[in-house]
């Protein structure tokens, strides 16, 4: 499928068929997320696939009345690793050595230079990591469309209850739950603002 077609076809799906997904689907989705760009190449995203009926039903109970996620044969639990910020020096070194900064003012920057920058506080770090994870999640969403699947971002859940259910370590923060499956509905295009309502112009 062409990327433009996938973007235009994507809808939030809240009804799923019972059909199981092919075995390679999880790997396909993870690979699409893995290819996403991230600030300083931190790649802070971490994912857990929930596929058992019992766990999906229990996970749905950790949400605020978003029970439809249990219908999907796969719920991808999308997290960020808060400790990934500690690797930024190494990530910058890797980028420099790979030639990513060639021909720019960043070419001489080292991991040590980056590490000397004023650190963000915990809240700013979490916002930064979550923004990067959102890029990877949306890669996953569009790949799902390409595979004939549907999904829906879900953020109405108890962080504590999800982490307790899945026994996630303190270093992980859950950004979103992503139910994935074959759509049992064909929603119409959602209302969208016109281009002149979102475009601030050229200067």
């Amino acid at each position: 499928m062409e990327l433009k077609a996938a973007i235009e076809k994507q809808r939030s799906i809240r009804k799923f068929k019972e059909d199981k997904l092919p075995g390679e689907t999880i790997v396909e989705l993870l690979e699409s997320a893995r290819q996403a760009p991230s600030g300083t190449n931190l790649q802070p995203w971490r994912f857990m696939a929930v596929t058992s009926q019992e766990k999906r039903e229990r996970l749905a109970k950790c949400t605020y009345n978003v029970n439809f996620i249990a219908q999907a044969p796969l719920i991808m639990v999308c997290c960020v690793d808060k400790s990934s910020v500690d690797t930024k020096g190494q990530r910058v070194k890797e980028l420099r050595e790979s030639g990513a900064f060639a021909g720019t003012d960043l070419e001489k920057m080292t991991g040590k230079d980056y590490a000397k920058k004023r650190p963000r506080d915990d809240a700013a770090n979490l916002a930064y990591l979550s923004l990067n994870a959102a890029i990877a999640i949306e890669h996953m969403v569009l790949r799902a469309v390409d595979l004939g699947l549907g999904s829906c971002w879900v953020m109405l859940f108890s962080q504590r209850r999800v982490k307790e259910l899945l026994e996630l370590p303190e270093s992980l923060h859950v950004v979103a739950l992503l139910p994935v499956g074959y759509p049992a509905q064909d929603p119409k295009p959602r209302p969208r603002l016109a281009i002149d309502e979102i475009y601030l112009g050229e200067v």
Side-chain angles (χ1 to χ4, degrees):
M1 182 183 295
E2 293 287 339
L3 177 59
K4 183 175 184 291
I7 291 172
E8 292 175 349
K9 187 175 181 181
Q10 193 275 325
R11 306 276 188 274
S12 292
I13 298 298
R14 297 179 177 87
K15 294 181 180 178
F16 298 92
K17 297 179 181 178
E18 295 181 358
D19 305 50
K20 292 185 177 180
L21 302 180
E24 65 272 14
T25 297
I26 292 174
V27 174
E28 290 280 353
L29 296 176
L30 291 173
E31 182 60 26
S32 65
R34 194 177 73 86
Q35 296 295 335
S38 58
T40 322
N41 205 31
L42 282 180
Q43 305 163 77
W45 42 76
R46 305 291 183 267
F47 302 97
M48 175 178 283
V50 179
T51 57
S52 76
Q53 181 69 39
E54 180 261 342
K55 269 289 199 293
R56 292 185 345 247
E57 290 176 356
R58 291 179 64 188
L59 187 55
K61 291 178 181 178
C62 297
T63 69
Y64 301 111
N65 298 316
V66 192
N67 297 316
F68 72 82
I69 68 172
Q71 297 175 6
L74 164 65
I75 303 173
M76 196 68 81
V77 180
C78 310
C79 309
V80 290
D81 184 349
K82 292 181 289 186
S83 69
S84 63
V85 295
D86 298 330
T87 69
K88 61 186 178 183
Q90 178 62 26
R91 298 288 85 82
V92 167
K93 181 174 182 289
E94 292 169 352
L95 286 172
R96 183 172 54 79
E97 291 175 351
S98 73
F101 301 147
T104 73
D105 292 339
L106 299 174
E107 192 168 12
K108 295 181 181 179
M109 186 172 70
T110 66
K112 290 182 180 179
D113 294 332
Y114 194 91
K116 290 177 183 177
K117 293 178 66 176
R118 186 178 66 178
R120 303 180 185 91
D121 61 26
D122 289 345
N125 267 332
L126 183 57
Y128 178 71
L129 296 177
S130 297
L131 177 62
N132 282 277
I135 301 171
I137 297 168
E138 191 60 14
H139 272 49
M140 195 177 285
V141 165
L142 291 176
R143 179 62 175 139
V145 174
D146 190 40
L147 294 170
L149 304 171
S151 64
C152 182
W153 279 72
V154 173
M155 300 178 71
L156 294 171
F157 58 85
S158 165
Q159 182 79 208
R160 177 186 59 79
R161 293 179 65 191
V162 170
K163 291 183 69 170
E164 287 178 356
L165 173 65
L166 302 177
E167 299 180 355
L168 298 176
E170 177 57 33
S171 62
L172 295 186
H173 177 84
V174 184
V175 176
L177 305 178
L178 191 72
V180 180
Y182 291 104
Q185 60 179 161
D186 186 17
K188 296 179 180 179
R190 309 309 194 205
R192 289 291 183 263
L193 297 175
I195 288 179
D196 61 5
E197 295 180 272
I198 66 171
Y199 183 45
L200 300 179
E202 183 175 341
V203 295

